[in-house]
Amino acid sequence: MCGIFCSVVNNVPVNSFNIPSALKVILKNRGPDVQDEVVIDYGFGKILFAGFVLWQQGESVQKQPVVEDDFIFLFNGDIYNTSKPEYMSDTSWIAERLAECRCEEQNILKTLKRLEGPHCLIIYDKREQILYFSRDALGRNSLLIERTRNGFQLLSTSHIEDKKISLELPSLGLFRVKLNDLNSCVLYPWQPLNDYSAQLLRNLDLAIGWKTAVESPILPDWILNCNPAFSYNFYEFQYIKNDVNLFKKLIDQPEIKDTLSIIHTLLSDSIKNRVRNMAPFCRLCMPKLNISPPCRHAKLCILFSGGLDCTILALLANQFVPVNEPIELINVAFESVKGQNISEKLWDVPDRKTSLVSVNELKQLCPERCWDLLEVNVTRLELQQHLISRIKHLIYPLDTVLDESLGCAFWFASHCTHSTARVALIGSGADELFGGYTRYRNSFKRCLGNDLEHQLAVQNELERDWQRISARNLSRDDRIIADTGKTARSPFIEENFVKFIRSLEVYQKCCFGFPEGVGDKLLLRLYGYQIGLRDVVFLKKRAIQFGSRIANKKQNGAHQSDYL
């Protein structure tokens, strides 16, 4: 994970053109291993490029920005499913591909079309004075855009200040701006715009003050629809009160068994890529480098509520981490507030209890592994101090009570002082893909139509959430977790996995004719059972803000936070 920064400014004195010190601290937290800056003239003003690198791939750290004869390149992310040599970093490999493009726009588009993995990038064509910038189509990594007094800037994360307009750059495609005309922009969308994405583009134009023309879509191969030949329907199976017998019966169905086999292959590959592609040093040993004997501390952690999603990630990750290295399971609990159940032990919150049950399952299934459960306990005073001094800047420009609760939970978990890991696996996307939220069940119940209309109601709710997942969760979580020098990786949100799961019908993923803790995310629960999990597959879904006790259920998550 890196912090990248690009500022385009007209008519600015050289000695006043720099990154504000508070912002530089935040960017350096994301990329503590090496930093560099480059300032160039472009005729009407100046551009400042800065890179703050967290080394994760390649034999050695790659400094940024990458400056070549024809272009300047900034990159933040991970690229998977390519033929890249192991000794090369993603940044240097993409820079080589861009050099082969010779700044020909169609060649650049072809190069970006082949990239898979969470990323955002900035490319400056020196000759034509054109700035290109984009986020991957799933919007997993943060890139903000801000309107400033004399221009605009792109940056991984920001710092709250007056007199600027900030928003998350929509993950719509590749943007192109000619620096001699900052009133217009061109977008090559990843896929044709729908009503929601068209509104995001209008919001961007209004905020930044330019007009965007939309060109033909790029259409990466994984975005194109696929139609698996499965006809099973969970609603055709009668509910059996013995959940174990029900799961065994469903798993024995040939088509369901085939579906679970594909899930296993795709999810295992996703986790393998995200676990094996990291630097060979932990947080403590990184400053020493070339140490002997090799670092055997934990390099991987899982933000661990003890729920279904993170426990599946932990069990699968076990296959790909050297057996003599621990895997950290980080669980966070917050001090109770008025209105919550204060009769329970101070840190005995629901997610703490669940984590203890689930870690015992992992120990039984993988007794050779050192599972290091790290318990993070946060007082209300600590929460308020860090929220005001640091976390609110990372959440910015988002500002709701829900953003505050989730942002703080992830920040304290990833900031665990006893953690040595530099990669954090998170379960983002599982609920949106498999139907895990209570609102999906509610949409099913509220529908008064026939069976088809019930399924359509749930499908519409799933689709709405999937379109919004980047703006509601992924960008914020990236900014929060990266602040602690960790790279957040989301194995469920992988191109091929997403393509397959979203190709299934809604009645092939969840079944709201079955009770809570069974029918929601039913397909993922069956997969968990198939790979050996028993207790966790029957747990009811619990949101982290309530499971960790950071939030009160009486609060409205959509309301604006008093602290942001």
Side-chain angles (χ1 to χ4, degrees):
M1 192 59 62
C2 304
I4 60 177
F5 178 89
C6 172
S7 181
V8 178
V9 180
N10 289 326
N11 304 318
V12 61
V14 175
N15 57 5
S16 67
F17 193 37
N18 51 43
I19 304 175
S21 58
L23 176 57
K24 184 174 284 190
V25 169
I26 294 176
L27 289 168
K28 190 172 181 179
N29 288 340
R30 290 179 63 94
D33 296 332
V34 64
Q35 301 85 38
D36 199 14
E37 298 179 16
V38 172
V39 178
I40 65 167
D41 291 302
Y42 70 91
F44 297 90
K46 297 184 183 297
I47 316 176
L48 189 157
F49 300 90
F52 302 79
V53 178
L54 178 71
W55 176 34
Q56 293 289 15
Q57 298 189 13
E59 287 183 343
S60 59
V61 62
Q62 168 66 54
K63 185 172 67 173
Q64 294 198 52
V66 176
V67 181
E68 299 290 348
D69 292 339
D70 296 330
F71 66 90
I72 296 175
F73 178 52
L74 285 167
F75 178 78
N76 169 36
D78 299 299
I79 299 301
Y80 303 117
N81 305 328
T82 68
S83 56
K84 177 181 73 71
E86 287 189 12
Y87 67 84
M88 293 187 73
S89 70
D90 292 338
T91 304
S92 56
W93 184 81
I94 299 173
E96 280 194 2
R97 305 291 76 74
L98 292 174
E100 294 169 356
C101 294
R102 300 184 182 278
C103 291
E104 294 290 338
E105 192 159 270
Q106 290 304 312
N107 292 336
I108 293 174
L109 293 172
K110 289 177 182 177
T111 297
L112 298 188
K113 181 177 181 176
R114 297 195 300 267
L115 298 183
E116 294 185 12
H119 67 274
C120 51
L121 52 80
I122 300 170
I123 306 166
Y124 178 61
D125 178 346
K126 294 181 182 178
R127 185 181 57 207
E128 300 295 332
Q129 296 184 346
I130 295 175
L131 195 68
Y132 298 94
F133 46 96
S134 73
R135 296 171 62 201
D136 73 81
L138 293 171
R140 289 162 285 190
N141 284 5
S142 171
L143 188 63
L144 307 182
I145 184 167
E146 298 183 337
R147 177 73 180 269
T148 57
R149 188 175 59 178
N150 295 319
F152 72 96
Q153 58 193 29
L154 301 157
L155 60 172
S156 299
T157 189
S158 189
H159 190 273
I160 300 175
E161 298 169 6
D162 294 332
K163 298 180 182 178
K164 69 177 181 182
I165 299 172
S166 304
L167 71 160
E168 294 175 345
L169 181 75
S171 54
L172 302 179
L174 179 69
F175 293 87
R176 182 191 75 196
V177 174
K178 290 189 175 183
L179 298 191
N180 63 359
D181 180 13
L182 298 185
N183 295 316
S184 62
C185 176
V186 172
L187 169 66
Y188 293 94
W190 297 120
Q191 55 190 322
L193 300 184
N194 56 26
D195 290 343
Y196 175 74
S197 53
Q199 183 60 53
L200 291 179
L201 187 59
R202 287 193 289 271
N203 295 343
L204 174 66
D205 284 355
L206 183 63
I208 305 303
W210 60 36
K211 177 65 176 176
T212 300
V214 179
E215 296 288 344
S216 300
I218 298 172
L219 292 177
D221 292 340
W222 68 267
I223 281 181
L224 303 177
N225 292 331
C226 70
N227 298 297
F230 297 127
S231 59
Y232 71 89
N233 183 340
F234 283 137
Y235 288 85
E236 293 177 353
F237 295 92
Q238 187 174 1
Y239 177 64
I240 302 172
K241 288 189 176 181
N242 185 318
D243 293 335
V244 170
N245 289 342
L246 173 65
F247 274 32
K248 288 179 178 178
K249 178 182 178 180
L250 292 174
I251 290 171
D252 282 341
Q253 303 302 311
E255 285 197 346
I256 296 176
K257 187 174 293 184
D258 289 344
T259 304
L260 296 176
S261 177
I262 295 173
I263 287 176
H264 182 69
T265 298
L266 294 175
L267 188 56
S268 294
D269 286 347
S270 175
I271 291 175
K272 178 174 66 175
N273 283 333
R274 284 153 178 77
V275 167
R276 288 187 172 173
N277 286 285
M278 65 174 77
F281 302 102
C282 74
R283 178 177 60 85
L284 299 179
C285 296
M286 177 60 71
K288 305 172 187 176
L289 298 178
N290 299 319
I291 60 171
S292 182
C295 171
R296 295 301 182 195
H297 302 121
K299 303 174 188 64
L300 177 74
C301 71
I302 296 163
L303 303 194
F304 194 73
S305 66
L308 176 68
D309 313 335
C310 59
T311 307
I312 286 176
L313 296 183
L315 183 56
L316 293 181
N318 177 70
Q319 305 171 62
F320 308 113
V321 175
V323 70
N324 54 356
E325 287 185 12
I327 294 178
E328 297 173 346
L329 308 173
I330 305 180
N331 178 269
V332 64
F334 291 85
E335 185 180 19
S336 295
V337 295
K338 186 177 180 181
Q340 293 178 348
N341 181 11
I342 57 174
S343 64
E344 62 191 12
K345 294 180 181 177
L346 189 57
W347 308 115
D348 200 14
V349 301
D351 278 1
R352 181 63 48 80
K353 298 174 184 177
T354 304
S355 70
L356 294 172
V357 172
S358 297
V359 77
N360 282 335
E361 275 209 80
L362 291 171
K363 288 178 178 178
Q364 292 170 15
L365 291 169
C366 311
E368 75 288 349
R369 172 71 61 194
C370 174
W371 298 102
D372 193 1
L373 181 62
L374 302 179
E375 298 180 351
V376 179
N377 300 324
V378 185
T379 67
R380 290 289 154 178
L381 178 60
E382 290 175 303
L383 172 60
Q384 187 172 29
Q385 288 175 339
H386 286 288
L387 173 59
I388 293 173
S389 65
R390 190 164 177 178
I391 301 173
K392 70 176 185 179
H393 298 289
L394 304 170
I395 296 172
Y396 178 79
L398 304 186
D399 61 2
T400 69
V401 170
L402 183 62
D403 293 317
E404 175 196 322
S405 298
L406 295 177
C408 289
F410 276 127
W411 189 86
F412 280 100
S414 59
H415 201 260
C416 173
T417 54
H418 299 294
S419 171
T420 62
R422 282 164 52 100
V423 168
L425 295 187
I426 56 178
S428 301
D431 289 305
E432 291 84 353
L433 287 169
F434 290 94
Y437 291 125
T438 303
R439 57 180 171 270
Y440 306 141
R441 181 179 291 273
N442 290 340
S443 67
F444 180 85
K445 288 181 178 179
R446 285 195 300 265
C447 180
L448 301 177
N450 58 31
D451 290 346
L452 180 61
E453 289 169 325
H454 275 84
Q455 298 308 318
L456 185 60
V458 177
Q459 178 60 36
N460 288 341
E461 197 72 29
L462 281 167
E463 188 63 30
R464 187 179 300 113
D465 276 356
W466 185 253
Q467 288 190 54
R468 300 184 301 174
I469 188 173
S470 175
R472 286 168 60 94
N473 297 99
L474 304 184
S475 295
R476 179 200 62 227
D477 297 346
D478 169 72
R479 293 193 295 276
I480 289 289
I481 296 171
D483 183 62
T484 59
K486 285 182 171 65
T487 296
R489 291 176 174 168
S490 310
F492 289 110
I493 311 181
E494 189 273 341
E495 286 82 352
N496 298 296
F497 187 79
V498 165
K499 179 178 181 178
F500 175 70
I501 299 301
R502 281 176 51 79
S503 73
L504 298 173
E505 300 290 349
V506 65
Y507 51 75
Q508 296 174 330
K509 296 184 286 190
C510 49
C511 177
F512 298 118
F514 295 171
E516 286 185 70
V518 179
D520 45 301
K521 280 196 296 197
L522 176 56
L523 186 60
L524 190 62
R525 293 179 186 275
L526 293 175
Y527 174 67
Y529 190 92
Q530 186 184 58
I531 62 175
L533 297 172
R534 292 295 178 265
D535 295 329
V536 70
V537 296
F538 299 116
L539 293 177
K540 293 182 180 181
K541 163 70 182 176
R542 186 191 302 119
I544 186 174
Q545 66 268 33
F546 304 127
S548 65
R549 286 287 191 255
I550 188 174
N552 190 325
K553 288 187 177 182
K554 296 180 181 179
Q555 291 178 296
N556 188 325
H559 287 173
Q560 183 167 344
S561 164
D562 294 332
Y563 298 99
L564 301 180

